[in-house]
Amino acid sequence: MSLYLHDTSTRTVREFVPVKPGRVSIYLCGATVQAPPHIGHIRSGVNFDVLRRWLTHLGYDVWLCRNVTDIDDKIIRVAAEEGVPWFVVAERNYRHFTWAYDALGCLPPTVEPRATGHIPEMIELMARLIDKGHAYAAGGDVYFDVRSYADRYGELSNQKLENMRPAADTDTDTHKRDPRDFALWKAAKPGEPTWRTPWGPGRPGWHLECSAMATKYLGSTFDIHGGGVDLLFPHHENEQAQSRAAGDGFARYWLHNGLLTLGGEKMSKSLGNSLLVSEMLKVVRAVELRYYLVSAHYRSPIEYSEEALQEAATAYRRIEGFVTRAAEIVHDVDKDVPLPQAFVDAMNNDIGTPQAIAAIHESVREGNAALAQGNKDRVARILAETEKMLDILGLNPRSEQWRSAGDDTGLRDTVDALVSVVLEQRQAARARKDYATADAIRDQLAAAGIVVEDTPQGTRWELAR
RNA sequence: GGUGGAGUGGCCGAGUGGAUGAGGCAGCGGCCUGCAAAGCCGCGUACACGGGUUCGAUUCCCGUCUCCACCUCCA
């Protein structure tokens, strides 16, 4: 079975075939860096990171272009409120986003272009649109003329032009020929940052940057364009309209992740209900937060609750427990074991991470049984396949990403030596059936944050979570 | 008004025209253990509501209700 993905433009799950064999190009709408990220933003990053890892596993050379929109109304407003230049706000929030993506284990994108670094490409695109009669300059603004493209405008979001509500009037709308026309370029206003164009100084509108950057880095036609469903209209519709009207093929598959809601409403700064990533990581470890996000299908809405998050953390620790215990007796992990078919099928079916995780739990259960039986060969095989699945989801507790987060290896060896001395005394107490002493030692270690477990292979310890 | 999406057991969350209801969490019983912990085994009268199609619908169709998102700030 090959990979099937849900394509928003056809509203069907269809077979994925890349433009160029062996290579996949993905453009992901990243951040508009107007504020630090909440977990909804990072959900999108994690969802597409999993897609990317799966495509890589399938043998594709994956090019991921994740943009940074570093100029918009809100950035300008925040900067004005703080009395600093726009780029101070943009840079500060850009760093918050980078930190959060890294913290959640998202692999860095192949390229991460910024809107303000691509003004010439935007000018070139606007010139092509004006040439073809799909855009016009008016009063220093440049607008896309939706009526010149009326037969195709709305095809991505499945809407008809005549059904669209006219845009709420704002002062910048006065030069539009049609209220539904959207700004490619906004004329300079006093105190705002500007760049020079043939139509006068100004700054980019919201959608133009993505078209300009996607085609610059990925080509005029590329494979996958992703983002949250809230971007479907107008953002993605407008991107597609302006690019295709200009003669580019643009995205062949559109993937949209579901939103994260809190209290039944979309998480957003304006509603005051956003949960910052930095705050969440005080509640659970980053890998547990990632597990929480990956355990729902990417297109499903997630209604956030702390209880569900804690459950996810507990479920993850079950997996982690097996991997940790198995790795204590298995030292050479075979990287070439086949993945369980259930996992492969789940991932190929529109990145079915819930079923993929179910497959992991199945392996863990088998692995725990093998561990109890002391069947080392079987443990080795199951550990190998389990880690391989976990790596694809970015959840392997022994990966570079998550291992370093926990404990320092050198320090761990020191603690191990100390704990071993104490455990020897406990073992001696147990041998003479002095259980009061043995239990007292165990309690003292527990108070120090060390959990002791007696197993058929002997006593082991680990740090409490 | 238009366009999408959702409503599944105590909770989270998949999925399917049927014969045994993914997986996890919680709970109960058992095994293991000196006791624990961890683990394993077992235990669940579910699919918002009303019609229809069908031998059979949670799954398909029609309608209703509730909720979410978008309709030019949004992941």
Side-chain angles (χ1 to χ4, degrees), chain A residues 53-351:
Chain A
R53 287 173 189 250
W54 182 242
L55 288 164
T56 302
H57 166 79
L58 293 177
Y60 293 110
D61 176 21
V62 182
W63 286 26
L64 175 67
C65 177
R66 185 181 68 203
N67 76 291
V68 177
T69 296
D70 58 351
I71 188 76
D72 88 322
D73 292 355
K74 244 181 216 172
I75 293 169
I76 291 169
R77 200 204 316 144
V78 172
E81 282 165 11
E82 295 183 8
V84 297
W86 63 276
F87 53 79
V88 171
V89 173
E91 286 293 329
R92 181 180 69 213
N93 291 316
Y94 167 74
R95 276 191 280 273
H96 282 300
F97 267 88
T98 300
W99 170 83
Y101 285 129
D102 287 348
L104 271 285
C106 297
L107 298 170
T110 311
V111 59
E112 188 173 38
R114 296 183 183 209
T116 56
H118 297 78
I119 304 297
E121 289 83 356
M122 296 185 204
I123 292 172
E124 186 270 336
L125 180 54
M126 285 191 281
R128 277 158 68 201
L129 286 168
I130 290 170
D131 272 0
K132 289 177 188 275
H134 289 299
Y136 57 93
D141 296 328
V142 181
Y143 293 103
F144 184 86
D145 182 350
V146 294
R147 283 179 299 181
S148 76
Y149 199 66
D151 53 329
R152 298 188 66 187
Y153 188 71
E155 64 186 2
L156 176 62
S157 55
N158 194 32
Q159 298 184 93
K160 299 246 185 297
L161 194 54
E162 60 266 28
N163 289 333
M164 290 179 193
R165 287 180 180 170
D169 276 323
T170 69
D171 54 8
T172 56
D173 287 344
T174 51
H175 304 293
K176 287 182 181 181
R177 291 177 188 168
D178 184 292
R180 294 161 299 196
D181 289 351
F182 59 89
L184 299 168
W185 192 261
K186 297 182 176 187
K189 283 191 240 168
E192 290 192 351
T194 61
W195 287 263
R196 267 186 278 179
T197 75
W199 310 283
R203 62 185 176 89
W206 178 29
H207 319 292
L208 189 64
E209 83 281 19
C210 284
S211 285
M213 296 189 287
T215 52
K216 171 168 181 170
Y217 295 102
L218 303 178
S220 63
T221 299
F222 58 94
D223 295 308
I224 295 169
H225 191 127
V229 274
D230 53 345
L231 296 181
L232 176 56
F233 192 89
H235 187 51
H236 290 163
E237 186 70 58
N238 290 353
E239 280 183 51
Q240 183 173 84
Q242 69 203 0
S243 283
R244 291 199 172 158
D248 291 331
F250 214 56
R252 297 175 66 248
Y253 297 80
W254 286 88
L255 270 60
H256 290 99
N257 63 274
L259 302 185
L260 214 145
T261 59
L262 180 62
E265 282 181 310
K266 178 170 132 180
M267 193 169 286
S268 75
K269 293 171 288 283
S270 50
L271 289 168
N273 67 345
S274 54
L275 279 172
L276 296 183
V277 175
S278 52
E279 292 300 311
M280 308 277 309
L281 295 186
K282 292 173 184 168
V283 180
V284 293
R285 292 178 295 157
V287 67
E288 293 165 347
L289 177 55
R290 183 175 170 111
Y291 180 94
Y292 174 65
L293 296 174
V294 171
S295 63
H297 186 81
Y298 76 92
R299 284 192 285 120
S300 297
I302 296 179
E303 163 67 18
Y304 172 81
S305 77
E306 168 130 16
E307 294 71 29
L309 179 62
Q310 293 294 357
E311 276 187 15
T314 306
Y316 180 73
R317 285 172 205 161
R318 174 180 138 79
I319 296 170
E320 187 178 30
F322 164 68
V323 171
T324 305
R325 277 174 268 123
E328 285 167 6
I329 63 165
V330 174
H331 301 295
D332 291 314
V333 176
D334 178 9
K335 303 285 185 207
D336 293 327
V337 289
L339 288 168
Q341 195 57 41
F343 182 88
V344 174
D345 290 346
M347 294 301 284
N348 276 335
N349 182 16
D350 196 28
I351 312 297

Side-chain angles (χ1 to χ4, degrees), chain A residues 373-422:
Chain A
Q373 292 156 6
N375 186 338
K376 197 173 164 182
D377 288 346
R378 192 140 172 267
V379 171
R381 200 203 76 232
I382 295 170
L383 174 63
E385 72 178 28
T386 302
E387 288 200 81
K388 200 165 173 178
M389 291 188 281
L390 289 168
D391 278 327
I392 286 164
L393 300 183
L395 292 171
N396 187 350
R398 296 212 302 153
S399 66
E400 199 62 44
Q401 170 79 26
W402 307 121
R403 188 174 48 197
S404 54
D407 41 23
D408 179 318
T409 312
L411 191 59
R412 193 186 170 87
D413 287 347
T414 305
V415 174
D416 185 54
L418 290 168
V419 173
S420 295
V421 171
V422 178

